[in-house]
Amino acid sequence: MLVSKHDEIVSIPGIHSLEDFMANPPDGMEWVDGQLVEKTGMTLKHSEIELNLGFYWRTYINSNQLGGKVYTEVPCRTYKQGRRPDVAYLTPDLVAQFGNVPTLPQSFPLIAEIVSPTDLAEELFLKAQEYLQSGCEEVWLVFPQSQLVLVVTDNQVLGFKAGDVVRTQKVLLGFSVAVDELLA
């Protein structure tokens, strides 16, 4: 399989289909429109927010004894792609069912994408819709530079700005965090 990496073509043996990707997902790559695509554009701030949100979600599930697991940069399959959400929560039932597979064969119930400077807004909204059409119930789109968090579900998009408290809508009900704290 050929991969575009900053105008350089790189060959990755053994990855020729979405099924190959699911069986052996290469680090830092997604399967998009029949090709491996490297996830790029991550900054220190992006990584910090990813870690913060993963920590907050995990702390919440542990303190409320909800079970399940929180992951970062973990592969999953949507109805047509192989993706790596920045932060994802898997319920206890789904952990029991799929906890040992190399790639989750559906979207995670709760996903967060931290917007990088190289991301295009339209592509992020399309990715959120793709997740929702593949088993996800709630997607958080986190915009560090504009200090916004959008929570997207199948029937609504809610916006939270600096000074607001963002709350889950369908998964991990009761979880909340101040936007300023998340993006600090």
Side-chain angles (χ1 to χ4, degrees), residues 28-103:
M29 302 288 213
E30 291 187 330
W31 181 267
V32 180
D33 297 330
Q35 295 186 343
L36 283 174
V37 177
E38 182 179 26
K39 286 188 73 172
T40 60
M42 289 186 63
T43 63
L44 288 172
K45 187 68 169 175
H46 181 284
S47 182
E48 179 183 8
I49 294 167
E50 189 176 280
L51 180 63
N52 285 348
L53 189 54
F55 172 79
Y56 294 142
W57 283 355
R58 184 172 180 171
T59 300
Y60 183 78
I61 67 172
N62 287 345
S63 65
N64 290 285
Q65 300 177 355
L66 300 175
K69 293 187 178 184
V70 177
Y71 302 89
T72 59
E73 299 290 330
V74 66
C76 71
R77 180 182 180 149
T78 65
Y79 66 93
K80 65 178 184 173
Q81 316 282 18
R83 296 291 190 179
R84 282 186 182 274
D86 291 327
V87 186
Y89 168 69
L90 194 59
T91 63
D93 291 343
L94 292 174
V95 169
Q97 186 175 359
F98 298 117
N100 293 320
V101 297
T103 303

